[in-house]
Amino acid sequence: ISIYTIPAPKRGEIVRQIGDALRQKIKVLGSLVSLEMGKIFVEGVGEVQEYVDVCDYAVGLSRMIGGPILPSERPGHALIEQWNPVGLVGVITAFNFPVAVYGWNSAIAMICGNACLWKGAPTTSLVSVAVTKIIAKVLEDNKLPGAICSLVCGGADIGTAMAKDERMDLLSFTGSTKVGKQVALMVQERFGRSLLELGGNNAIIVFEDADLNLVIPSALFASVGTAGQRCTTARRLFLHESIHDEVVAKLAKAYAQVRIGDPWDSDTLYGPLHTKEAVKMFLDAVEQAKQQGGSVVCGGKVINRPGNYVEPTIVTGLPHNAPIVHTETFAPILYVLKFKEEEEVFAWNNEVKQGLSSSIFTKDLGRIFRWLGPKGSDCGIVNVNIPTSGAEIGGAFGGEKHTGGGRESGSDSWKLYMRRSTCTINYSKDLPLAQGIKFQ
């Protein structure tokens, strides 16, 4: 049976069953994410929940995808858009979201009629194998080959082979900007299609009229959640000069109360970094921040306990354009920066190479709409009075500039997993040409 020939709503029914199978295993799979990746248990479960949510979303979408019937300028003619599957979707995911990102891609790709080939991160292969087995069982229970969602485990050599293989109709890549650029060039060289979800250097901007009861927990979650290893982690916190000292003091107090420990312990809010290399990157960045004129308000050191634990860190006193501030370090370091005017801080938000997520805290309606408008944030995710991280699945997720321009999950992201044909059907006995051309 070809997946192409199965009607889209039937494909949706199979994805619904995948969502149910994940629901049944949510705690054990969340536990495995926590063990292998290092994020706290509730975040591990939350990540599986995200895949479940995308499955639910995809089921509805399977009855809605399609193109418009457009008005034809010619009598007796119909002008329609037909959307067909691209074929094979390659998905390369990163260690920090070893379940959810594959979920976004596979659930949508499947209802669009595609097969998937997944390469998970080499450091989270147990999670990749577990998810693939769950999906394969559902497919096989529906008399379909489990290989519709296949898995390969390996390093950069496998990724390169996927990028260069002409049979890979779409390659969705999540990872660093550096590797993403190489992938994009390899795929473009063969005129393939790529979907890129790359780095972020995300800012929260706090104006003088902000509600600090929202600001402190938001900044804490966005900078410390997942130990600073989300692509949407807040790395820059711009504070209006009139509230700078007050917010820094309150935030430092909140940082001091973060419960650090075993990610499997339900009381823990903050676990280890993923690798020893990440610890080294963290220490190097703290050192560079000091050399460039920054003051470490709290944190900055490795925690003396087994595992890759570092202290969540706040650095103040750096200029907005310090080289380290413009570097995405995948670790819990927050650079706190002072500003005076709206115009300058919007420009500072946009001056980094990446354009993933951004957020302002204000009650000023005019400012909110300027922030959302053409002279506001240049990011793919533009928030007001909420953190930079923790996106819902119903919107399109992704960013601009060096973040890669790709969009996954909700809204019309499904279009990236299909190819569009514009079809003109003549049901008359005449042959009028477009633009009124006469050819007789």
Side-chain angles (χ1 to χ4, degrees):
I1 303 168
S2 164
I3 191 169
Y4 301 144
T5 59
I6 301 169
K10 290 274 192 293
R11 301 194 292 250
E13 165 56 21
I14 290 160
V15 171
R16 186 192 67 75
Q17 292 172 34
I18 291 169
D20 279 352
L22 290 162
R23 273 186 183 92
Q24 285 158 21
K25 299 251 183 358
I26 192 162
K27 288 215 164 127
V28 68
L29 194 53
S31 225
L32 184 60
V33 170
S34 184
L35 174 72
E36 199 173 28
M37 184 273 157
K39 63 175 66 174
I40 59 173
F41 174 67
V42 289
E43 285 191 2
V45 171
E47 199 180 322
V48 184
Q49 183 61 49
E50 196 164 334
Y51 193 167
V52 170
D53 291 346
V54 174
C55 286
D56 286 352
Y57 175 78
V59 178
L61 199 59
S62 72
R63 292 182 180 270
M64 292 161 66
I65 51 173
I69 297 172
L70 300 160
S72 172
E73 67 184 56
R74 293 176 277 191
H77 285 59
L79 185 57
I80 66 170
E81 244 179 42
Q82 172 76 24
W83 290 81
N84 288 305
V86 289
L88 177 59
V89 175
V91 185
I92 298 176
T93 60
F95 75 86
N96 61 335
F97 281 91
V99 174
V101 174
Y102 181 61
W104 295 347
N105 281 276
S106 64
I108 306 294
M110 285 175 80
I111 63 109
C112 290
N114 302 298
C116 295
L117 179 62
W118 180 21
K119 186 189 100 63
T123 51
T124 54
S125 31
L126 291 177
V127 171
S128 304
V129 170
V131 170
T132 301
K133 287 195 164 189
I134 290 168
I135 298 169
K137 184 178 186 307
V138 172
L139 288 164
E140 284 156 11
D141 287 349
N142 284 275
K143 310 274 190 294
L144 290 166
I148 284 171
C149 289
S150 292
L151 172 71
V152 283
C153 290
D157 53 337
I158 307 286
T160 300
M162 288 170 75
K164 289 186 169 174
D165 197 315
E166 301 227 339
R167 294 169 297 180
M168 203 71 61
D169 298 290
L170 166 67
L171 185 59
S172 170
F173 174 87
T174 301
S176 70
T177 294
K178 185 181 165 204
V179 178
K181 185 177 182 181
Q182 294 167 347
V183 166
L185 291 170
M186 285 187 273
V187 174
Q188 183 57 45
E189 200 161 29
R190 59 177 177 85
F191 287 102
R193 191 190 290 195
S194 62
L195 192 173
L196 303 173
E197 296 279 0
L198 311 176
N201 190 346
N202 316 296
I204 291 176
I205 302 170
V206 183
F207 286 91
E208 64 275 25
D209 65 335
D211 181 347
L212 296 191
N213 292 326
L214 290 177
V215 170
I216 304 304
S218 294
L220 183 73
F221 174 68
S223 56
V224 172
T226 327
Q229 298 169 107
R230 292 184 180 221
C231 46
T232 51
T233 292
R235 309 202 179 280
R236 300 177 295 150
L237 177 62
F238 290 105
L239 301 176
H240 189 268
E241 58 183 9
S242 65
I243 53 164
H244 176 275
D245 296 355
E246 183 190 353
V247 173
V248 170
K250 285 183 171 173
L251 196 55
K253 198 173 164 189
Y255 265 55
Q257 291 164 359
V258 170
R259 297 183 300 278
I260 299 168
D262 184 334
W264 266 5
D265 182 342
S266 61
D267 201 41
T268 301
L269 281 182
Y270 176 96
L273 291 179
H274 189 57
T275 60
K276 291 267 177 283
E277 293 77 42
V279 175
K280 186 182 180 307
M281 282 190 328
F282 165 83
L283 289 170
D284 288 351
V286 171
E287 196 46 50
Q288 284 178 57
K290 286 179 185 167
Q291 285 170 7
Q292 290 168 28
S295 307
V296 176
V297 172
C298 62
K301 298 188 285 295
V302 171
I303 298 171
N304 184 18
R305 59 175 291 161
N308 307 316
Y309 284 85
V310 301
E311 294 174 344
T313 302
I314 297 173
V315 177
T316 59
L318 283 164
H320 65 94
N321 56 356
I324 193 62
V325 173
H326 280 218
T327 306
E328 181 192 17
T329 305
F330 227 59
I333 305 171
L334 182 66
Y335 303 109
V336 180
L337 311 150
K338 267 186 198 177
F339 76 92
K340 285 184 171 70
E341 304 291 337
E342 175 190 305
E343 199 174 329
E344 69 177 1
V345 79
F346 285 6
W348 295 350
N349 175 75
N350 296 347
E351 73 185 355
V352 294
K353 292 266 196 264
Q354 303 88 340
L356 180 52
S357 189
S358 55
S359 183
I360 62 165
F361 285 78
T362 183
K363 299 187 188 91
D364 183 326
L365 204 55
R367 181 181 289 140
I368 288 167
F369 280 93
R370 289 191 293 275
W371 170 242
L372 305 179
K375 289 191 170 174
S377 172
D378 64 0
C379 295
I381 296 168
V382 183
N383 291 340
V384 179
N385 296 330
I386 65 159
T388 51
S389 56
E392 296 180 27
I393 60 109
F397 181 92
E400 301 299 324
K401 304 187 302 192
H402 285 219
T403 302
R407 293 295 187 277
E408 288 173 345
S409 195
S411 186
D412 65 349
S413 302
W414 63 269
K415 290 180 175 178
L416 291 158
Y417 302 86
M418 302 195 87
R419 57 180 181 81
R420 176 198 332 230
S421 304
T422 302
C423 314
T424 310
I425 300 126
N426 179 2
Y427 56 89
S428 74
K429 291 193 166 66
D430 298 317
L431 193 65
L433 299 178
Q435 291 85 46
I437 291 170
K438 298 275 184 273
F439 196 78
Q440 288 159 338

